[in-house]
Amino acid sequence: TYTDASAAVSHHRPIVEQFLLNYTESEIAQRQNHSLTQVEGYIKDFLRISVAHRQGYTVEGIRHLTGLAKGVVAKHLAHYDELAGSPVWKDRLEGKLRFYEASIDAERAKKGALA
């Protein structure tokens, strides 16, 4: 059980962890009794915040990029730091973030080719 000032972040933790364990978004939604849209949103926010953090953006910069509240960004980053520092989660997290970054790069290349 997770408790937090923000429901979004307390629900976010098990959702992100199940995503790192390779459950599909549909499976996570069913397991967590959330809508697919909510699950996809939590995962997308976590990935965007984590990648921006790895690229050197500050909490304030990430807040501006994502449109999320500063407190929500900070709590996602705290979870990122916990996962990145854990021998259990570190490799899984790294793999998902590398894949997400590669998909961003591919999309940018595609848009550049079309311009």
Side-chain angles (χ1 to χ4, degrees):
T1 303
Y2 294 95
T3 57
D4 256 330
S6 167
V9 176
S10 64
H11 291 155
H12 145 268
R13 287 176 173 266
I15 288 170
V16 168
E17 289 168 6
Q18 288 175 33
F19 174 70
L20 296 178
L21 291 170
N22 293 322
Y23 285 95
T24 67
E25 287 89 346
S26 297
E27 290 171 327
I28 297 167
Q30 184 177 21
R31 292 169 60 96
Q32 293 298 311
N33 197 28
H34 278 57
S35 73
L36 181 58
T37 302
Q38 289 172 313
V39 168
E40 290 170 338
Y42 290 138
I43 293 168
K44 181 180 177 183
D45 287 346
F46 180 77
L47 292 172
R48 291 186 313 151
I49 290 167
S50 298
V51 167
H53 174 66
R54 287 161 52 111
Q55 293 175 344
Y57 285 88
T58 63
V59 170
E60 193 62 27
I62 295 169
R63 186 185 75 74
H64 284 291
L65 285 171
T66 62
L68 297 170
K70 185 177 181 180
V72 172
V73 171
K75 289 186 183 222
H76 279 274
L77 288 175
H79 190 210
Y80 167 84
D81 288 339
E82 289 172 21
L83 294 168
S86 165
V88 173
W89 296 108
K90 182 179 179 178
D91 291 338
R92 291 177 182 276
L93 176 64
E94 185 63 30
K96 292 289 188 179
L97 291 176
R98 275 193 310 240
F99 181 81
Y100 184 69
E101 288 170 325
S103 70
I104 292 170
D105 292 343
E107 187 63 30
R108 285 183 184 151
K110 181 180 173 184
K111 286 182 181 178
L114 297 176

